[in-house]
Amino acid sequence: KYFSGHPEYADLPRKYKAAIVGHRSGAQCEINDISFYGVKRSDGAVGYGLMSGGGLSTEPHLAQDFGVFVKPEQVIEVMEAVTRIFRDYGYRKSRKHSRLKYLVADWGAVKMRDEVEKIIGYKLTDGEDQPPVKGYEDKLGVFAQKQEGLSFVGVPVVAGRITDEQLFAVADLAQEFGSGDIRLTVMQSLYIINVANEKIPALLEKLTAIGLPVDASPVRKGVVACTGIEFCNLAVTETKQRAKTIVEQLDQGVQWSDSEFFRINVNGCPNSCGQHWIADVGLQGAIKKVNGQTVEQYDVFLGGALGTDARFNRRIKRVNADDVAPSIQKLIESYQASRQDGESFPHWVERHSDEELEVMF
C-alpha cells in the first residue's frame, strides 16, 4: 500500500521484486531484488535480515546479505532507502542493465548498507551469524500447524499446470476440510490450511481422486516450468507438457531413496522465467534445423542451489527434447551410485568436471 502509486517511486527502472518471509528458505531470497527474512537473535529479539541484488535472466546474480538486524517497525523505512538508491543510482541507459542486481554487484553490500544508513539517519544493528539454511523448503505433505489440532497439506502441482476442474475441486476441498483458505508456493504448488487432524485421511484420498496426490516422488515435488511457447512469444520450446512427461518417465524409471526434492526447472528460452539457473537440473529451450525440420532441444545445466550454499549451475551439453528424460535418469543413477556420505546433487556435480558429467548422459 505504501509503495503502490507513491509519486516518489513512479519511475523506478524496470522490474523490482521484493519478498518478506518468515525464514530465509521460504521465498528464494537469493534471487530477489530485495528480501527481508525472519531471524531470531540470541537475546530472543525477532526481526529480519536483509538481502538485495539477486536476479536471474541471461546474467544471473546472487543477492548479497547486508549483515543487519531490521526491527519489524523499521522495514518500511529500510525498504524505502533501498528503493531510493535504486531510483537515483540504478542504471537506465540500457534496459538490459536497469535492474538493481547490477548496482549491488558494483557497489557491494557494505556500500549499500552505508548508503541506506545515511538515508534513514542512523546505524542499523549488526546481524548475528545464522545456522545454515536450505534454499528450497516447501512443505509438501502433511504438517502440523502451531494451532493445536490443525494441520496444513502441501499439494504438489506438476509444473504449475492445473485444470479448471481441479482448481474448482481444490477450492471445494479447502472449504469442506479447512477454512477455505489456500496458499500458493514459489514452486508452483499449493497449501490447504487449517485442516482438522481427523479430516486429513479423507482429504488426502479426495486429492488423489482429482489427480493431485500428496504422496509424491522428489522429482514430482521439485519440478517447475515457465509458460513456454504455448503462450509466450519469447519461448522457442514447449515446457509444461515436457515437464510432465519428464516427471512421469522418471517416476517409472528412478528408484528414489532419501532425497526430499529433486529440482528440475524447464525454461523455454534464455530469460529464465522458469529459473533454470538454480535447479539441480536446469533445462533451457533451444531449436535446430534438421533436414528442413525444426527440432526442439534443451541445453542442460547441472548443480544449482540456493540457501547458505547458493550457486548457479553449469551448462554441460545440449540434447534433443525427446532424449531429456532418459538422459536425466542416467545422470541420477550415476549420482546415486557414486555419491559420497550422502552428499547433495550440487556437491556431487561440483566435484566432477564438465567432461566427466557429459559422458554420464
Side-chain angles (χ1 to χ4, degrees), residues 65-326:
D65 199 301
F66 283 27
V68 296
F69 177 83
V70 181
K71 298 176 182 178
E73 60 270 21
Q74 296 173 322
V75 168
I76 285 287
E77 62 179 350
V78 171
M79 182 169 175
E80 183 169 25
V82 175
T83 306
R84 283 180 59 182
I85 293 169
F86 183 35
R87 179 196 66 190
D88 296 343
Y89 299 100
Y91 305 138
R92 295 175 182 261
K93 289 184 178 180
S94 166
R95 182 179 184 274
K96 180 180 178 181
H97 291 95
S98 58
R99 290 291 305 276
L100 183 56
K101 64 183 181 181
Y102 294 107
L103 183 64
V104 175
D106 288 347
W107 282 18
V110 174
K111 181 177 179 179
M112 285 290 296
R113 175 179 175 177
D114 288 343
E115 292 298 318
V116 167
E117 291 174 339
K118 289 177 184 177
I119 293 172
I120 64 178
Y122 59 88
K123 292 288 186 181
L124 291 167
T125 303
D126 289 339
E128 296 179 350
D129 290 337
Q130 297 295 314
V133 296
K134 297 179 180 179
Y136 167 48
E137 214 168 15
D138 276 352
K139 301 290 187 180
L140 300 181
V142 180
F143 296 87
Q145 295 181 189
K146 292 182 178 179
Q147 297 85 353
E148 186 175 354
L150 296 180
S151 294
F152 68 89
V153 178
V155 184
V157 181
V158 175
R161 176 56 60 88
I162 190 169
T163 68
D164 54 346
E165 290 91 350
Q166 288 175 319
L167 201 56
F168 280 113
V170 167
D172 291 340
L173 293 176
Q175 192 69 52
E176 179 182 356
F177 292 94
S179 56
D181 296 306
I182 294 170
R183 301 286 184 264
L184 304 180
T185 82
V186 297
M187 288 287 288
Q188 301 180 321
S189 294
L190 60 88
Y191 301 146
I192 297 176
I193 66 172
N194 298 323
V195 181
N197 291 338
E198 62 271 16
K199 295 182 178 181
I200 291 293
L203 174 58
L204 297 182
E205 184 177 338
K206 292 199 173 186
L207 284 167
T208 300
I210 64 171
L212 295 172
V214 171
D215 185 14
S217 68
V219 70
R220 185 171 291 268
K221 291 179 179 179
V223 68
V224 162
C226 75
T227 299
I229 200 171
E230 187 175 9
F231 298 111
C232 177
N233 61 1
L234 297 179
V236 296
T237 59
E238 195 280 328
T239 56
K240 295 289 190 181
Q241 185 57 46
R242 178 66 57 188
K244 183 178 179 181
T245 299
I246 290 170
V247 168
E248 290 173 347
Q249 293 184 22
L250 293 180
D251 274 352
Q252 294 177 3
V254 175
Q255 297 298 315
W256 297 100
S257 53
D258 58 352
S259 181
E260 185 179 9
F261 297 103
F262 191 86
R263 294 191 64 160
I264 299 177
N265 289 28
V266 187
N267 213 79
C269 79
N271 289 310
S272 195
C273 297
Q275 302 177 345
H276 64 278
W277 289 109
I278 59 173
D280 291 301
V281 177
L283 303 173
Q284 177 183 299
I287 53 175
K288 181 180 180 180
K289 287 286 187 179
V290 178
N291 298 325
Q293 300 294 318
T294 300
V295 176
E296 287 193 356
Q297 298 181 319
Y298 284 94
D299 288 329
V300 181
F301 295 71
L302 301 179
L306 294 180
T308 304
D309 196 28
R311 83 276 302 278
F312 295 126
N313 47 28
R314 296 145 46 195
R315 182 191 179 280
I316 304 301
K317 67 183 298 186
R318 179 174 292 186
V319 298
N320 289 335
D322 291 339
D323 296 329
V324 167

